[in-house]
Amino acid sequence: MKRLLFAFLLAGYTFTINAQDNMAKDPVKKIEVTGSAEMEIVPDEIYFSISLKEYFKDEKNQKDKVTIDVLEKQLIAAVIKAGFPRDNLTIKAITGYRNWTGKKKPLYFLESKRYVLKMNNLYKSDVILDEVDDKGIEFVNIDHVDHSQIKDYRKEIKIKALQAAKEKATYLLESINEKVGDILMIEELDDQFYAPQPMMMSNVRMMKAGGDAAPMEDSSLEYQKIKLSYKMKAAFKIK
């Protein structure tokens, strides 16, 4: 039994020595580099947030409540009138507030709904807000922005990052009279997607109630661009 165990150990030792000898005789010369690339794109999808809230026409006596259903129908009709498909409007959140009397008896309950409308033209928001009851609009803002071809742009920038890695390896090796060989390894290091929200626009009516808000005047409003940034690590043989 001892002789058999010794034979196995000897075989393993011999194999290790042979492998190390082969690596020493024919080492793989390689270079590892990192390439990066960036791209900024103008968003073509704007997600406009609109919050509607129930209210009383007679606030003092809490009578004649304008319900959320009435306000929602106004909003849907306004969205269609502005030329957007009904499916572009979705509900993001539903909240409510109940006022209680000192006798633990509910006085009234007011519901609010927050909607998000997918748009490609923000200036039509003015048309939409004009069609909805002023007092029923709680607030509006930009929820977020995106681009319809973002996946294609991501592929493009990753390719550019990998190409940058090969270009770097090429000029580094040329500086020492060497050449780039076959690819050995590719690794993604960073996958960054930065889409800042545009600033809240003071000329879009944040609260129409009272009729003090002014219509949009500046038609040259610009958004911060979506920034894509990627890094790719690659290893190449040295010829």
Side-chain angles (χ1 to χ4, degrees):
M1 183 68 181
K2 291 182 179 180
R3 291 181 179 179
L4 183 61
L5 179 60
F6 178 75
F8 279 131
L9 292 175
L10 182 59
Y13 177 74
T14 302
F15 175 79
T16 303
I17 293 297
N18 289 338
Q20 291 177 348
D21 288 343
N22 290 334
M23 291 178 63
K25 292 177 182 178
D26 188 22
V28 177
K29 296 192 301 179
K30 66 178 181 178
I31 180 173
E32 291 188 5
V33 291
T34 300
S36 61
E38 293 182 350
M39 179 184 291
E40 291 187 341
I41 55 177
V42 178
D44 66 354
E45 293 180 347
I46 306 159
Y47 292 82
F48 189 60
S49 178
I50 307 169
S51 182
L52 302 180
K53 185 177 182 179
E54 295 178 331
Y55 72 95
F56 292 103
K57 292 182 178 180
D58 184 353
E59 295 182 3
K60 184 177 180 180
N61 299 306
Q62 286 84 48
K63 293 182 179 180
D64 300 326
K65 182 168 76 171
V66 178
T67 66
I68 199 70
D69 291 338
V70 171
L71 297 171
E72 184 175 86
K73 288 179 180 178
Q74 293 177 359
L75 179 60
I76 293 173
V79 166
I80 295 174
K81 181 178 180 180
F84 296 109
R86 168 66 180 84
D87 292 343
N88 280 25
L89 183 68
T90 57
I91 298 174
K92 186 169 185 178
I94 301 176
T95 57
Y97 171 75
R98 185 180 296 279
N99 192 319
W100 296 77
T101 66
K103 298 179 181 179
K104 297 183 179 181
K105 182 179 179 180
L107 184 60
Y108 61 82
F109 177 85
L110 295 178
E111 181 183 357
S112 64
K113 280 186 180 182
R114 184 180 178 189
Y115 305 83
V116 175
L117 175 63
K118 180 181 175 181
M119 312 173 68
N120 56 9
N121 185 349
L122 182 60
Y123 304 110
K124 289 188 178 181
S125 63
D126 215 33
V127 176
I128 294 172
L129 297 180
D130 282 339
E131 300 296 321
V132 181
D133 191 340
D134 291 351
K135 292 185 178 181
I137 299 178
E138 189 174 20
F139 67 85
V140 298
N141 68 354
I142 303 297
D143 188 77
H144 67 282
V145 296
D146 205 341
H147 198 284
S148 57
Q149 304 297 321
I150 194 68
K151 291 183 179 180
D152 293 333
Y153 284 121
R154 282 175 171 169
K155 291 178 182 178
E156 181 180 344
I157 200 66
K158 286 181 181 181
I159 291 172
K160 288 183 177 180
L162 184 57
Q163 290 173 340
K166 185 174 182 179
E167 182 182 354
K168 182 188 291 187
T170 300
Y171 69 70
L172 287 176
L173 289 177
E174 286 178 349
S175 68
I176 56 174
N177 297 319
E178 297 284 356
K179 293 184 178 181
V180 172
D182 296 334
I183 186 73
L184 296 174
M185 177 271 295
I186 298 175
E187 179 184 352
E188 288 188 43
L189 296 181
D190 290 326
D191 186 349
Q192 298 180 0
F193 172 71
Y194 177 62
Q197 295 184 10
M199 294 179 62
M200 196 84 69
M201 297 159 293
S202 60
N203 53 0
V204 173
R205 283 167 286 233
M206 302 310 298
M207 289 291 286
K208 288 178 56 181
D212 297 327
M216 296 179 69
E217 297 176 355
D218 184 9
S219 61
S220 61
L221 182 67
E222 295 182 355
Y223 301 98
Q224 295 183 23
K225 296 178 180 179
I226 298 172
K227 183 177 181 180
L228 299 177
S229 178
Y230 294 99
K231 290 182 180 180
M232 303 289 284
K233 182 178 181 181
F236 301 90
K237 282 185 179 180
I238 300 175
K239 290 183 179 180

